[in-house]
Amino acid sequence: MNRKYNIAMAALAVYTAFFAAGCGKNELPQMTEMTASDTSVSETEKVNAVHDIDPMAAEHGADGLPFFYADENSECTFIPAEDKVRFDGRYIRYNDICWLSYTCSAVSFVMTGDKITAELVSNGGAYTNRQQGWLGVMINGELMNRIRLEDGEQSYVLYEGELENAEVTIIKLSENQMSCTGIKSITCNAKKLARAADRDISIEFIGDSITCGYGNEADGPSERFDTDYQNGAATYGFYTAQALDADWSMVSISGMGLISDYTDTVGVKEDYLLAGDIYDYADANFEQRRGIEPLTPWDFGGGSDIIVINLGTNDYSYTGRNEGLQDEFYRAYYDFIGHIREKNPDSEIICTMGIMGAELFGQIEQAVGDYSEDNSDEHIHAMKFDYQSEEDGYGADYHPTVRTHQKAAEQLTEYILSLIHISEPTRPISIS
C-alpha cells in the first residue's frame, strides 16, 4: 500500500488533537451563509500557511509546485482538473462542467492570495424550496463558509481574505440524490496556486442516509428533510477522515440498501438505487436521470486503503424478522464483500451498522466470517456502531445528530487505529 512508518504515528497524533480540541462536543464552527446576491465575505486576519510553495519553481504544475505564479496578486481562472486540484470523492465531467457527485466530494488547491470566486451550476431536487445544493469552503481543514446554491449557472464569491500558502477545499455538503452541483470554473486573485498534495492514506465510505448526514442539523425528529439542515462535513465519515488525516470518498445515497432500498412494507422490495448497481460508476444517479448511456465507469486505480461499508438499515425495512429474507440479505452481503475486494484488492474492509439499529448485524458478521474463511482473507472486519442515544438528540426523521456523528467517528477511528501495526521505521506499515 506504500504507506510509511509515520502514517500510524501521524494519524494517532492528529486523532488525539482532533477529538481533544472539541470534536466530542456538540459544537460547530462559526460559519457564514452566502447566496448569489452576496458580494464578499471578509476575513481580516491572514490565515497561517500549511504548505510551502516554491515561488521560483520552474516546472509550474509539477507535483507540489505552483501552476500559477505572479509577483503580485493577479487573476487566474482554471477548470478543476487533476493537475490543478486534488479530488476527494467521486466526480464526473459533463458539458464541460465538473460535477461533484456524492456527499463531501471536493476539490482542493493551495493558494497565496486574497479572493476566490467560482462559476457554479446547480439543479435542486423535486422540492426546490428544501432540496437545493450546498457547498462549503474550507481553509486549512476548517469549514469557514457555507453556500446555498440557486438553480442554474451563477457566479459566487467563495472567500475573501488574506491567504498565505493555505489549503482551500470546495466541498459538497448536500447529498447526491437531492441536488446536482457542478463547478464550471474557479477564479483566484492570487500570487501562487498549486495542487493540494495527496495524503498518505485513503478511506472510502459506502452507506445510506446516515453516511450522507441526513437531517443531522435539524432541530428534532419532527423536522422534514431539508438540505438546509444537512452538513456532510459534520458526519462520522468526514470526522474520521479528518482524524486519520486521510483522503476521503463517500458513495452514499439516502434510502439506499443492498437488496432493497427503504420500503414502507416488509416483503415489498424497492430497488431503484441499490449499492451494487451504483458502486462501479462515477455517478450512476446523475447519468440515469439524464438518459446518458453507457454509464461512466469509476477509475478505482489501486483502490482505497480502508473501505467502510455501513449498509443494512434500509434493508431491514424489507426483511423485517423474516428469516428467508434475512438470509437473502446475508447472501447478497457475502457477494458484495467479494465485489468490493475485487475493486480494492489491498484494502481493509470494515463492515458495520448499528447507529439507527443493528437488526441485521448478525447476518453481516456471518457474511464477514464466512467470506474471510472461504477466501483466506484476514483483512475483512465486522464492527457494530453504538446505537444513538436520546440524550444526544435526534435529527430529522430520527436520524443521528452531529453529536452522534462525533461519537461514531471516535468509535470508528479508534477501531481503525487498533488495526494499524507499526513495524521498523524504514519499512512500510501494514494494516491487518
Side-chain angles (χ1 to χ4, degrees), residues 186-207:
I186 300 170
T187 299
C188 298
N189 195 47
K191 293 181 181 179
K192 293 180 285 185
L193 292 168
R195 180 188 187 276
D198 295 322
R199 300 181 180 89
D200 291 323
I201 193 169
S202 60
I203 183 169
E204 180 176 70
F205 300 87
I206 306 169

Side-chain angles (χ1 to χ4, degrees), residues 231-369:
N231 184 356
T235 59
Y236 78 91
F238 189 74
Y239 284 142
T240 299
Q242 280 191 312
L244 296 172
D245 194 26
D247 291 335
W248 66 85
S249 177
M250 297 182 190
V251 184
S252 59
I253 295 177
S254 287
M256 188 171 72
L258 195 57
I259 60 173
S260 176
D261 301 314
Y262 180 79
T263 178
D264 291 326
T265 307
V266 172
V268 178
K269 183 178 291 187
E270 297 283 354
D271 57 2
Y272 50 94
L273 284 174
L274 297 178
D277 295 334
I278 70 166
Y279 184 69
D280 289 359
Y281 304 104
D283 191 344
N285 187 38
F286 178 91
E287 293 190 316
Q288 286 174 347
R289 287 184 174 184
R290 287 159 177 76
I292 300 171
E293 295 183 349
L295 300 178
T296 303
W298 180 245
D299 181 4
F300 288 89
S304 298
D305 295 316
I306 300 169
I307 304 289
V308 178
I309 305 173
N310 187 1
L311 292 170
T313 304
N314 291 307
D315 294 280
Y316 184 68
S317 70
Y318 163 70
T319 67
R321 298 181 181 275
N322 184 294
E323 291 184 2
L325 298 181
Q326 289 188 350
D327 184 64
E328 179 187 353
F329 175 79
Y330 153 77
R331 288 183 279 108
Y333 205 103
Y334 181 103
D335 292 340
F336 191 60
I337 292 173
H339 188 68
I340 298 302
R341 171 58 75 219
E342 177 187 351
K343 299 298 183 181
N344 303 272
D346 299 317
S347 68
E348 293 300 307
I349 300 175
I350 301 172
C351 303
T352 186
M353 71 174 300
I355 296 176
M356 293 184 70
E359 291 85 357
L360 291 176
F361 187 70
Q363 284 70 28
I364 291 173
E365 282 188 303
Q366 183 182 353
V368 168

Side-chain angles (χ1 to χ4, degrees), residues 24-38:
K25 301 176 182 178
N26 194 9
E27 297 176 356
L28 296 175
Q30 295 297 314
M31 293 168 283
T32 303
E33 178 183 335
M34 294 187 296
T35 65
S37 61
D38 292 312

